């Protein structure tokens, strides 16, 4: 393993208030924390982020440090405030006046009803970048509906094209739409920070998880909008080319993408199937797509003669994209992942970083995920709240 580069600090000096729960918002704020922003997680005193009680380890759930919470809350500070109480709202307004960014993922109108919406907070802090993440956005007939990831996977069409004709509609195996919503939010926030440098003005950002997902489905959407072809589930096969999909080697399954004509020709050479180049069923791309099943059957007969790792090496050496299908433990322990220092140890736990490196820096969490209210004294003290007042607020259930 190579030495880890220095922590990235592109957003150092930026204060972010994270009022979010579960995944989409916490993931967005986590991306900013990995780049050096000070992220203050504002949580309810009576339990905080619901993700604190979610995850595969019941003991951690009991400690309100569930693995679902640990996954995207490193590098943050936690302060507790009950925004339903007048004193809690007043403290929050004072805190928001010091912030550069605010992220929330309540249903539309919740913050306005609390008297803490963008229009109110911007009066105190005109440079505030306020990002609201919801399932469907701030307007439209579905805007008031509650939405978790699977609801958006279904609405967006993702499930309708996942799996094959027997298994579809099928949920993607991780919270895809939550994650896309969070990435969209972090991109919009970073762009708005750059814009504020030029104008001095903040803004309101309306992130829809549905819109973010549809945007990421570019090819599937454009095939329908432009070509008039409704996408359908193809399982592990690629609709744009053949042979391109999952094949069965002697000991495992392997993905192969011979998408270009020259890659198919090279594949035939490597596999000892030069005769396929003269077969009119397989001579060119569209013919191969029409006769995909026959071609796959021939290839699988040869793939079964060698282990997947051997095929992976042979095909990649011939510039044919190929890779075995790995499990989560296998890829996290893979030399590729370790070489890039993708995993970070912090406070006795291991967390994933972001998906990029810089020339001399790497996204990094400055501290482990916080205990509920761990930094209330520090953050509220910076607003002038002394120890005696803090104790009074705790007794009153405000913090």
């Amino acid at each position: 393993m190579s030495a880890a580069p220095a922590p990235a600090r592109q957003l150092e000096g930026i204060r972010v208030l994270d009022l979010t729960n579960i995944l989409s918002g916490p993931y967005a704020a986590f991306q900013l924390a990995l780049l050096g922003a000070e992220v203050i997680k504002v949580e309810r005193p009576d339990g905080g982020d619901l993700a604190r009680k979610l995850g595969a380890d019941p003991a951690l759930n009991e400690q309100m440090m569930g693995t679902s919470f640990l996954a995207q809350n490193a590098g943050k500070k936690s302060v507790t405030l009950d925004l339903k109480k007048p004193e809690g709202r007043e403290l929050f307004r004072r805190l928001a006046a010091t912030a550069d960014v605010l992220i929330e993922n309540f249903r539309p109108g919740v913050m306005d009803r609390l008297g803490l919406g963008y229009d109110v907070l911007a009066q105190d802090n005109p440079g505030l970048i306020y990002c609201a993440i919801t399932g469907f956005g701030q307007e439209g007939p579905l805007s008031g509906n509650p939405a978790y990831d699977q609801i958006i996977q279904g609405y967006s069409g993702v499930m309708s094209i996942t799996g094959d004709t027997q298994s579809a509609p099928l949920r993607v195996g991780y919270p895809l739409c939550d994650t896309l919503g969070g990435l969209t939010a972090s991109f919009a926030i970073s762009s708005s920070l750059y814009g504020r440098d030029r104008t001095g003005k903040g803004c309101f950002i309306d992130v829809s998880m549905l819109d973010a997902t549809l945007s990421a489905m570019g090819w599937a959407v454009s095939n329908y909008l432009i070509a008039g072809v409704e996408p359908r589930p193809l399982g592990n096969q690629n609709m744009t080319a053949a042979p391109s999909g999952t094949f069965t080697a002697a000991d495992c399954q392997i993905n192969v993408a011979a998408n270009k004509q020259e890659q198919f020709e090279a594949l035939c050479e490597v596999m000892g199937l030069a005769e396929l180049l003269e077969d009119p069923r397989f001579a060119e791309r569209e013919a191969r797509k029409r006769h995909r099943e026959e071609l796959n059957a021939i290839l699988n007969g040869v793939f079964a003669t060698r282990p997947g790792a051997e095929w992976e090496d042979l095909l990649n050496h011939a510039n044919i994209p190929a890779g075995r299908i790995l499990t989560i433990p296998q890829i996290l322990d893979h030399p590729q992942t370790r070489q890039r220092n993708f995993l970070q140890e912090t406070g006795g736990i291991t967390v994933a970083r972001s998906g990029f490196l810089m020339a001399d820096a790497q996204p990094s969490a400055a501290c482990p995920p916080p205990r509920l209210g761990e930094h209330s004294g520090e953050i509220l003290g910076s607003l002038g709240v002394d120890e005696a007042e803090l104790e009074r607020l705790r007794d009153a259930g405000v913090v």
Side-chain angles (χ1 to χ4, degrees):
M1 183 184 297
S2 62
R9 288 293 175 260
Q10 280 70 19
L11 295 180
E12 190 169 21
I14 297 296
R15 171 171 278 192
V16 179
L17 302 187
D18 175 8
L19 281 73
T20 63
N21 280 271
I22 311 293
L23 179 53
S24 62
Y27 186 72
F30 181 49
Q31 301 311 299
L32 305 179
L34 290 173
L35 290 172
E38 179 193 25
V39 178
I40 299 171
K41 191 169 182 68
V42 182
E43 302 184 74
R44 295 180 298 106
D46 60 349
D49 188 340
L50 177 60
R52 288 183 175 276
K53 299 178 182 179
L54 302 178
D57 187 324
L60 287 174
N61 296 341
E62 285 294 318
Q63 299 168 32
M64 293 201 301
M65 294 296 280
T67 55
S68 296
F69 175 81
L70 299 177
Q72 65 274 328
N73 284 288
K76 302 180 185 181
K77 301 174 181 179
S78 173
V79 59
T80 51
L81 284 175
D82 187 344
L83 300 184
K84 294 181 179 179
K85 290 182 164 62
E87 284 185 300
R89 292 194 293 273
E90 175 58 28
L91 284 169
F92 180 77
R93 278 194 69 165
R94 289 164 59 187
L95 183 59
T98 72
D100 299 283
V101 176
L102 182 151
I103 311 173
E104 53 100 338
N105 62 350
F106 301 120
R107 288 198 216 180
V110 168
M111 289 291 280
D112 288 323
R113 288 193 292 275
L114 290 169
L116 299 172
Y118 172 70
D119 290 340
V120 171
L121 298 182
Q123 292 175 16
D124 303 328
N125 184 356
L128 181 67
I129 294 165
Y130 185 116
C131 180
I133 307 171
T134 58
F136 300 99
Q138 299 292 309
E139 56 188 14
L142 301 177
S143 60
N145 288 9
Y148 285 121
D149 175 85
Q150 187 156 346
I151 305 304
I152 305 301
Q153 285 203 30
Y155 248 104
S156 64
V158 164
M159 290 176 64
S160 76
I161 59 173
T162 302
D164 55 27
T165 53
Q166 283 73 47
S167 61
L170 190 66
R171 175 185 175 272
V172 175
Y174 78 102
L176 171 71
C177 301
D178 270 327
T179 305
L180 287 172
L183 281 175
T184 299
S186 62
F187 170 74
I189 290 166
S190 299
S191 302
S192 297
L193 284 169
Y194 175 75
R196 191 185 66 172
D197 285 345
R198 293 182 292 108
T199 67
K201 297 180 180 179
C203 64
F204 181 88
I205 302 170
D206 171 9
V207 174
S208 157
M209 288 165 52
L210 176 61
D211 293 356
T213 303
L214 286 169
S215 176
M217 294 170 67
W219 284 14
V221 169
S222 68
N223 281 333
Y224 173 69
L225 290 178
I226 300 170
V229 176
E230 182 176 349
R232 59 188 180 89
L234 287 175
N236 293 327
Q237 296 298 306
N238 175 7
M239 67 168 291
T240 67
S244 187
T246 301
F247 298 87
T248 303
D251 61 343
C252 67
Q253 290 187 302
I254 182 171
N255 285 319
V256 178
N259 294 352
K260 300 177 182 179
Q261 182 65 26
E262 58 265 34
Q263 290 170 336
F264 175 64
E265 293 170 3
L267 179 72
C268 291
E269 181 178 348
V270 170
M271 301 187 75
L273 295 170
E275 67 275 11
L276 297 186
L277 298 174
E278 306 302 323
D279 191 319
R281 296 174 299 170
F282 312 130
E284 53 85 28
R285 173 191 292 267
E286 293 303 320
R288 290 195 294 273
K289 287 166 60 178
R290 288 193 299 273
H291 298 280
R292 182 191 300 273
E293 292 185 9
E294 299 141 90
L295 177 57
N296 288 353
I298 295 170
L299 296 178
N300 274 322
V302 180
F303 276 123
T305 64
R306 292 180 185 240
E310 288 188 23
W311 284 119
E312 186 177 310
D313 289 342
L314 284 168
L315 297 177
N316 281 297
H317 185 72
N319 291 317
I320 304 162
R324 288 163 291 159
I325 296 177
L326 302 182
T327 64
I328 300 298
Q330 286 173 328
I331 187 56
L332 292 180
D333 193 46
H334 195 283
Q336 177 67 28
T337 308
R338 289 188 277 111
Q339 175 73 30
R340 291 179 61 82
N341 296 293
F342 176 71
L343 299 177
Q344 178 187 354
E345 297 282 343
T346 177
I349 66 167
T350 304
V351 297
R353 303 178 196 257
S354 198
F356 62 92
L357 291 170
M358 298 176 181
D360 57 355
Q362 183 169 35
S364 300
C367 59
R371 298 279 176 182
L372 180 63
E374 180 178 343
H375 303 91
S376 291
E378 172 193 338
I379 301 303
L380 297 181
S382 71
L383 300 178
V385 177
D386 61 25
E387 284 294 328
E389 178 68 1
L390 186 62
E391 283 304 311
R392 185 190 71 78
L393 291 169
R394 283 185 175 134
D395 290 342
V398 176
V399 302

